[in-house]
Amino acid sequence: MKSTAPILATLALLAGCASGPTAEEQAAMAADARKASGALIQKLGGELKAALGEKGPDGAIGVCKERAPQIAAEVSKQFGFEVKRVSPKNRNPAGVPDAWEAEAQAGLEKRLAAGEKPETLDTWQVVSTPTGKQFRYAKALPVQPLCLTCHGDPATLADSVKARLAADYPLDKATGYAPGMVRGIVSVKRAL
Ligand code: HEC
C-alpha cells in the first residue's frame, strides 16, 4: 500500500501558506500599526501646532503640504509599513481612499455614531489580493476644533486660508467639516 504521508504533508504545507499569519502574529502587527499611526499623528500634530503659532494658518498650510507626505514616508520606513492619510473628501490629490480604506472609514464612522470613543477608533484585517495577502489597518482621525481652521465650513474660513487653499489645492474637497466628524483615516498596509 502506498503511503499517503507525502501527499498529506504537501497539503498541510499548502494550507499553511494559504492561512497566512497566526492570530498572535496578526495581533502583533496590529500593535505595530497602532504605534506607526500614533507616531504619524503625534509628529504631524506637533509640527502643525508649532507652524500655526509661528506662521499663522495660511503659512501652516505650506508646512502641512510639505511635511505631511515627508512624515508619512519617514514613519513608513521606520516601521516597515506603507503609512498614509486618506479621506473620501481629500485635499491632497494622492489622498483618495481605495475600496478597503473607504469601507474601513464607513465602519469606523458607524462605531463612532454608536458611542465608541474617538481616540481609540481603529480596525484591521488580513485581506487576500491578486498579488498575495496584505495586512491592512485604519485609524480614524476625528475632527477637533483646531482642524476647523483649515477644514471647517468655507463661510467661516479666513480669506487668507481660502486663497492659499485655492492656490495650492485647486481640487480641494476637504472643507465643510464639524467637530465629531471623521476627517479621514491613517491607513497602514503591509504585504505579507
Ligand atoms: C493649517 C491648516 C490645517 C489644519 C489646522 C489641519 N489641516 Fe488637515 N490638511 C491640511 C493640508 C494643507 C492638507 C493636505 C496635505 C498634503 O498635501 O498632504 C491636509 C490634509 C489632511 C488629511 C489627509 C487627507 C486629505 O484630505 O488630503 C487629513 C486626514 C487631515 N488633513 C486631517 C486633519 C485633522 C484631523 C486636523 C485637526 C487635528 C487637521 N487636518 C488640521 C491643512 C490643515
Side-chain angles (χ1 to χ4, degrees), residues 5-175:
I7 298 168
L8 289 178
T10 310
L11 285 177
L13 205 67
L14 286 174
C17 287
S19 69
T22 63
E24 289 83 26
E25 284 165 343
Q26 292 187 32
M29 263 188 291
D32 272 357
R34 272 191 192 120
K35 278 188 207 150
S37 65
L40 176 116
I41 291 167
Q42 216 178 2
K43 184 105 177 75
L44 186 55
E47 291 199 20
L48 183 64
K49 277 187 198 125
L52 280 168
E54 283 162 24
K55 297 169 193 279
D58 41 319
I61 290 171
V63 174
C64 211
K65 186 177 185 192
E66 199 180 305
R67 288 296 291 149
Q70 283 173 0
I71 292 169
E74 284 162 22
V75 172
S76 298
K77 208 171 152 199
Q78 187 188 343
F79 287 89
F81 285 115
E82 198 184 301
V83 184
K84 59 179 179 169
R85 296 186 308 163
V86 296
S87 169
K89 279 168 46 133
N90 58 306
R91 173 160 290 168
N92 183 325
V96 181
D98 66 18
W100 189 88
E101 288 162 338
E103 213 176 296
Q105 177 164 340
L108 294 171
E109 281 169 350
K110 278 202 195 112
R111 282 165 48 190
L112 186 67
E116 228 176 287
K117 276 192 297 183
E119 309 86 67
T120 50
L121 206 51
D122 65 3
T123 187
W124 54 272
Q125 194 180 18
V126 173
V127 297
S128 294
T129 77
T131 53
K133 284 186 186 297
Q134 287 178 349
F135 174 80
R136 308 286 316 251
Y137 169 90
K139 161 123 184 87
L141 293 168
V143 174
Q144 302 160 27
L146 167 85
C147 316
L148 302 179
T149 318
C150 303
H151 294 295
D153 186 327
T156 65
L157 294 180
D159 285 342
S160 58
V161 167
K162 268 193 268 195
R164 185 70 198 245
L165 289 175
D168 285 359
Y169 300 97
L171 302 175
D172 186 24
K173 300 192 204 118
T175 56

